[in-house]
Amino acid sequence: MESKQWYMEYKIHKNRPGLLGDIASMLGMLEVNILTINGVEGKTRGMLLESDDDEKIRLLGEMLGKVNSITVSALRQPKLVDILAVRHGRYIDRDSDDRKTFRFTRDELGLLVDFLGEVFKREGNQVIGLRGMPRVGKTESIIAGSVCAMKRWTFVSSTLLRQTIRSQMSEDELNPNNVFIIDGIVSTIRSSERHYNLLQDIMSMPSTKVIEHPDIFVQESEYEFNDFDIIIELRNNPNEEIIYDTFTASYTDEL
């Protein structure tokens, strides 16, 4: 059988000396490899495992279920959030009602860039919305994520260095493997017909599109939130409100 990766997570009730060694020995006897291990948020430990026998993983779960000092809270094939939790030692904050919304703060830019890099590696069509106030690090994170994914980024519209409103692109820039960066305010409030036609062409491509200010983009265009695969919120601090009225007017003034 082909080797598979598994994510195991357990909560520690009594962190006695030798606990991790006992669990590692059990894994060793079952010939299950430990690829990565890390503490995840307090008294929780996460492991990325590898095995070529699903039955051994089932037996592992049953045996650990008899250990009183821990409770296995996850034993599954790893999701992206599991892999990043083991790497960074914490879970990404995720909306409990809207599971496609992920929240980050500015001091978690490393985690955000890693997350974006993994998402950008995926092939095919995906639309990502990125909410956040000005100068919080939205565009810089997208560029850094593109570098991590070893993909070229292409600005369709932006205000990073200067006002960018593209009305045409070269064949190389329109490569579906590129990451297309779109400012949702610039592309709707200040877009020309030629720019909007280009935007529609890009939105229909089997490629990755990242749209900053997705709420304004949806409000001012034909697109809906159902068109988005992931929504990311980036704040300076967890309590910061993302209020568009405070800066949308400046866009039209500057442009």
Side-chain angles (χ1 to χ4, degrees), residues 23-34:
I23 295 173
S25 297
M26 186 181 299
L27 290 166
M29 287 187 288
L30 288 171
E31 298 180 322
V32 175
N33 297 323
I34 301 175

Side-chain angles (χ1 to χ4, degrees), residues 22-108:
D22 290 345
I23 295 173
S25 297
M26 186 181 299
L27 290 166
M29 287 187 288
L30 288 171
E31 298 180 322
V32 175
N33 297 323
I34 301 175
L35 301 179
T36 314
I37 181 171
N38 198 359
V40 180
E41 298 182 345
K43 292 187 175 182
T44 303
R45 183 167 286 136
M47 292 184 179
L48 196 60
L49 309 174
E50 184 181 57
S51 174
D52 59 0
D53 190 336
D54 294 355
E55 180 65 12
K56 289 180 178 178
I57 298 298
R58 187 188 67 79
L59 289 171
L60 173 67
E62 287 186 359
M63 288 189 291
L64 290 177
K66 303 296 183 181
V67 179
N68 294 327
S69 48
I70 69 168
T71 297
V72 176
S73 51
L75 185 57
R76 59 181 177 240
Q77 290 191 267
K79 305 174 183 178
L80 175 56
V81 290
D82 298 328
I83 294 170
L84 294 178
V86 174
R87 284 185 195 170
H88 294 270
R90 58 148 299 170
Y91 264 106
I92 296 170
D93 186 11
R94 197 169 184 177
D95 192 294
S96 57
D97 296 320
D98 181 6
R99 298 297 289 170
K100 70 179 180 182
T101 299
F102 300 84
R103 298 190 179 100
F104 298 84
T105 54
R106 186 169 172 79
D107 62 355
E108 298 171 328

Side-chain angles (χ1 to χ4, degrees), residues 100-166:
K100 70 179 180 182
T101 299
F102 300 84
R103 298 190 179 100
F104 298 84
T105 54
R106 186 169 172 79
D107 62 355
E108 298 171 328
L109 286 181
L111 178 58
L112 172 57
V113 169
D114 200 1
F115 176 75
L116 288 173
E118 293 296 329
V119 171
F120 291 169
K121 290 175 184 177
R122 298 172 177 173
E123 300 297 327
N125 181 59
Q126 54 181 347
V127 182
I128 302 162
L130 183 49
R131 294 183 178 121
M133 298 296 284
R135 292 175 292 280
V136 74
K138 298 185 298 297
T139 307
E140 296 88 336
S141 298
I142 300 168
I143 293 172
S146 301
V147 173
C148 289
M150 294 188 290
K151 286 195 172 183
R152 175 177 175 177
W153 64 92
T154 299
F155 285 109
V156 180
S157 58
S158 174
T159 59
L160 179 63
L161 299 176
R162 60 186 181 186
Q163 288 76 30
T164 300
I165 308 176
R166 305 291 299 276

